[in-house]
Amino acid sequence: MKKLILMAVAVVMVAFTGCKGSSESNELKECRDSLTIALGELHALRFQQMNDYYKQNGDSTGIDKAEYLKGFKVVLSADTTIKGKSFIAGMQAAMQEMSTIEMMEKDLGITRNAYFNAIKEALSADSLDVDQQSINNVITPLFQKVRELTAENDPEAQKAKAATLAVLAD
């Protein structure tokens, strides 16, 4: 009889513990759902700010939401192995440099493909024998020289230069 009472108490305790655990699980699920929704709204606000920025800076159409979400999903779908993380790191680096890449194409005539191939070549070595200051000392004068030579070959820049020289000559 004593064993039967102890078993009954144990069953009741397990039943109450199970109920309490499931209500905590429901509360936790609801909190997670609410947090997820709030985080989604925060990201949507960031998207809207980015979209407004694009519209104010020359891209009147803004960002295509479907394409934006497709890109976002690609990143979230990447595997979490070193290979997947490496893929994401490459995408992140390219995205951070996108405005520079666009400027290089427009102002300097350096194509995306040429830039990619230069990166690929530099990374083909097992290690780099260069430091930040040394490479900056190479890039800065080359950057200026390419700008100068590009301007010399640009008909609009030549017209502007001629107009400036004409004003100065008067």
Side-chain angles (χ1 to χ4, degrees):
M1 184 71 148
K2 191 174 179 181
K3 286 182 182 178
L4 188 58
I5 293 173
L6 286 174
M7 279 181 45
V9 169
V11 168
V12 170
M13 285 177 61
V14 167
F16 279 113
T17 303
C19 290
K20 184 178 180 189
S22 66
S23 73
E24 284 179 359
S25 293
N26 287 336
E27 182 180 5
L28 179 58
K29 183 184 179 317
E30 288 174 14
C31 286
R32 282 184 179 144
D33 290 347
S34 296
L35 177 59
T36 302
I37 290 167
L39 289 170
E41 289 172 353
L42 176 63
H43 189 86
L45 176 62
R46 289 180 188 150
F47 169 85
Q48 189 61 51
Q49 292 167 341
M50 184 177 11
N51 195 34
D52 291 345
Y53 175 81
Y54 272 73
K55 287 179 179 179
Q56 292 169 359
N57 290 288
D59 188 352
S60 61
T61 59
I63 300 171
D64 182 294
K65 284 183 188 177
E67 289 301 307
Y68 176 86
L69 289 170
K70 188 188 320 180
F72 202 85
K73 180 110 181 171
V74 165
V75 173
L76 294 179
S77 299
D79 66 47
T80 57
T81 64
I82 190 65
K83 190 173 184 177
K85 289 178 182 179
S86 299
F87 175 78
I88 297 302
M91 288 179 63
Q92 182 180 13
M95 292 305 303
Q96 288 173 336
E97 292 189 34
M98 200 60 190
S99 62
T100 302
I101 293 166
E102 289 173 346
M103 180 278 302
M104 287 188 315
E105 279 186 313
K106 182 181 173 203
D107 297 345
L108 306 174
I110 297 174
T111 67
R112 294 172 192 217
N113 194 42
Y115 183 53
F116 173 78
N117 287 333
I119 293 169
K120 187 176 174 182
E121 178 67 27
L123 288 174
S124 69
D126 289 336
S127 64
L128 296 175
D129 188 27
V130 68
D131 61 82
Q132 184 75 40
Q133 187 60 47
S134 298
I135 198 66
N136 284 341
N137 290 340
V138 171
I139 290 172
T140 301
L142 285 172
F143 187 91
Q144 291 170 344
K145 186 70 174 175
V146 169
R147 275 190 176 255
E148 289 169 12
L149 293 172
T150 301
E152 286 177 12
N153 295 319
D154 181 15
E156 288 187 32
Q158 290 173 357
K159 286 179 188 176
K161 184 177 180 180
T164 302
L165 291 174
V167 168
L168 293 174
D170 288 337

